[in-house]
Amino acid sequence: MSFMSKALAFAGAAATSTLVAAAVQAAELKVGYSLSETSHYGVAATVFGEELEKRTGGKYTIEQYPANALGGEREMVEGAQIGTVDVVITSTGPVGNFVPETLITDIPFLFKNYEHAHAVLDGPIGQEILDKFPEQGLIALAWGENGFRNLTNSKRAVKTPADAEGLKIRTMENPVHMEAFSEFGILPTPMAFPELFTALQQGTVDGQENPIGVILSAKFSEVQKHISLTNHVYSPALIILSPVVWDGLSDDEKTAFTESAKIAAAAMRKKVREDADNGVAVLKEQGMEVVEEVDRAAFEKALEPLMAKYSERFGKDRLDAIINHDY
């Protein structure tokens, strides 16, 4: 080989090496979620990306895929398991199918208020649940938030379980929610979120239940007449990372990912509270009839037969520790 040929070969190898190094040094992660970019999920994704880029010196950036662009929540969680989705911001609804320990948070009327929920999830109990995720091929970086869920429907005002009896209500693919709604006399209809708006529009289901921020973001006021402020379930969210990404990180990078997720989760909670505080007035302006005085005691009484079952399933001591948690 001539001197010139060797030089060209060396230059080509050097260029290839540089490209490979650049690919290793910088990675754009796919972040999927079910709501719009203006939602609390979008806020969390944006803050997570900003913090991550800052804390890793630009090595990791994100590309957002809102509004179920990567599939429904269950499909995105499955994608995180196998590495086709890097980060998922999701409700806990479908996560119980992967990590059953999360289902305890879905028991209706378990949490008294936001402060109670935060104290439990940000403490040892919440961490113990997050620690279960790697066993199922997932990394849970932080607890986020959807807020307290409320009932909407197109048929009638609902103040008591008797008012709700016979309504066909979309629920998440979540056995705890479905059991509870059946106890209220509701006909629970599990359905993926991307299908919900059309199902409400066509009358396939009479209603649905979600936090105020989700109801606003999804524009359900266009297809629902009544909303009852039942606050029946506190709905956490999760920021989940694919183990395919996690396993390739250094210890410092793992710390950067975890800290970025916690800051993003705090921003998500702030947005949820703002939506909850201001959203009811917006829904009224959009034409929804709001039932603010719901008979919570009647709903709790209707749920009593299930509480013994929940104690057996999740452990009485654990359930009591959550219910009686000091906050």
Side-chain angles (χ1 to χ4, degrees):
M1 182 182 290
S2 69
F3 174 79
M4 183 59 71
S5 298
K6 289 180 180 179
L8 290 172
F10 178 80
T16 300
S17 177
T18 300
L19 289 172
V20 170
V24 171
Q25 289 170 2
E28 185 176 78
L29 304 178
K30 291 191 290 186
V31 179
Y33 52 94
S34 61
L35 302 176
S36 70
E37 276 191 274
T38 59
S39 69
H40 53 289
Y41 284 4
V43 168
T46 298
V47 171
F48 178 71
E50 291 171 350
E51 290 294 326
L52 190 62
E53 187 171 0
K54 178 174 67 177
R55 291 166 186 271
T56 63
K59 180 175 179 179
Y60 290 96
T61 59
I62 70 162
E63 179 69 22
Q64 296 188 40
Y65 292 83
N68 300 296
L70 299 179
E73 289 187 327
R74 182 167 185 154
E75 288 78 16
M76 286 189 282
V77 174
E78 290 172 344
Q81 281 183 316
I82 62 176
T84 56
V85 180
D86 299 311
V87 183
V88 182
I89 301 173
T90 177
S91 69
T92 54
V95 177
N97 296 295
F98 302 87
V99 185
E101 288 81 0
T102 63
L103 289 170
I104 195 170
T105 66
D106 292 305
I107 296 174
F109 306 109
L110 179 65
F111 295 108
K112 301 175 183 67
N113 49 42
Y114 285 103
E115 290 71 26
H116 182 195
H118 295 169
V120 171
L121 295 179
D122 294 343
I125 293 174
Q127 188 57 52
E128 286 173 16
I129 297 174
L130 296 184
D131 289 342
K132 297 292 184 180
F133 278 71
E135 299 171 14
Q136 307 304 327
L138 295 164
I139 304 297
L141 294 175
W143 289 105
E145 183 164 273
N146 280 297
F148 282 91
R149 305 180 77 86
N150 298 283
L151 180 68
T152 74
N153 80 94
S154 59
K155 298 293 186 182
R156 55 184 176 268
V158 173
K159 296 182 180 180
T160 69
D163 297 329
E165 190 169 349
L167 289 175
K168 194 172 184 180
I169 301 295
R170 177 267 178 181
T171 66
M172 293 187 286
E173 299 170 89
N174 183 302
V176 173
H177 287 193
M178 293 169 67
E179 289 167 350
F181 273 77
S182 294
E183 207 67 34
F184 297 146
I186 287 170
L187 304 176
T189 306
M191 181 183 298
F193 190 80
E195 303 168 16
L196 179 53
F197 188 94
T198 300
L200 293 169
Q201 192 174 44
Q202 296 177 347
T204 306
V205 291
D206 300 317
Q208 60 86 51
E209 47 85 49
N210 260 301
I212 296 296
V214 177
I215 294 168
L216 284 167
S217 175
K219 300 182 179 179
F220 287 147
S221 63
E222 296 180 7
V223 289
Q224 296 279 268
K225 181 65 176 175
H226 304 279
I227 177 169
S228 299
L229 304 184
T230 48
N231 289 319
H232 53 273
V233 169
Y234 170 78
S235 179
L238 285 159
I239 301 176
I240 294 174
L241 180 69
S242 171
V244 175
V245 177
W246 181 258
D247 291 344
L249 301 176
S250 68
D251 289 344
D252 286 345
E253 288 168 346
K254 288 178 179 177
T255 298
F257 271 72
T258 302
E259 290 178 349
S260 297
K262 288 180 178 179
I263 294 170
M268 193 190 314
R269 286 177 174 176
K270 182 174 183 290
K271 172 65 171 169
V272 165
R273 291 298 289 271
E274 290 171 353
D275 286 343
D277 291 341
N278 305 320
V280 173
V282 174
L283 293 174
K284 285 180 179 178
E285 291 173 2
Q286 293 173 350
M288 293 196 80
E289 295 183 5
V290 180
V291 176
E292 300 191 44
E293 298 298 324
V294 173
D295 190 346
R296 181 183 173 108
F299 278 97
E300 289 182 340
K301 184 171 180 59
L303 192 67
E304 284 178 0
L306 278 180
M307 291 309 291
K309 182 177 181 179
Y310 292 148
S311 290
E312 183 178 347
R313 180 187 299 178
F314 298 111
K316 185 178 185 304
D317 290 345
R318 173 52 54 83
L319 203 54
D320 287 346
I322 292 176
I323 292 170
N324 301 314
H325 197 284
D326 189 17
Y327 60 94

